[in-house]
Amino acid sequence: MKDFTGQIEVMAPVRVANFLLNEKRNSINDIETRHKVPIMLLSNEYLDTPKFEIKRMRKTEVSDDPSYERVEAPEAELVASHEILAAGKSV
């Protein structure tokens, strides 16, 4: 683990986060103890399996914000239909 690591933030789909929290709790505790760094597991309803995010946060970046406020809805993407792309129209 790098020096000055204050926290590891793991954002995963709800089912994956539930699995980690309930079935793999002891393994996560072992990792936290071994590396002396807390791991914050966040369930994100907007993520689908197999997507996930792992962020290393420096000690100066660690926030006291509640975990439920760290999950944000994704921005909407503008997607063109096949017909528009075939016609060569710009979106």
Side-chain angles (χ1 to χ4, degrees):
M1 190 70 56
K2 289 186 174 184
D3 292 340
F4 304 109
T5 299
Q7 184 178 67
I8 300 297
E9 185 177 281
V10 178
M11 192 172 300
V14 175
R15 291 175 58 122
V16 174
N18 286 340
F19 172 77
L20 292 171
L21 286 169
N22 295 310
E23 272 47 80
K24 295 298 182 180
R25 183 184 315 258
N26 291 334
S27 297
I28 291 170
N29 287 336
D30 292 343
I31 293 169
E32 288 178 320
T33 302
R34 184 174 344 121
H35 294 284
K36 298 179 179 86
V37 174
I39 298 174
M40 172 74 70
L41 285 168
L42 304 171
S43 63
N44 187 334
E45 62 187 296
Y46 304 109
L47 286 179
D48 293 321
T49 303
K51 295 185 179 180
F52 63 92
E53 296 176 17
I54 299 176
K55 294 180 189 174
R56 175 192 160 265
M57 302 175 79
R58 295 175 183 257
K59 291 179 181 179
T60 57
E61 298 171 336
V62 175
S63 171
D64 290 334
D65 293 341
S67 59
Y68 60 86
E69 289 183 356
R70 298 183 189 193
V71 177
E72 297 177 0
E75 294 182 20
E77 294 183 34
L78 182 59
V79 179
S81 69
H82 177 66
E83 292 81 19
I84 291 173
L85 292 174
K89 298 179 183 178
S90 62
V91 180

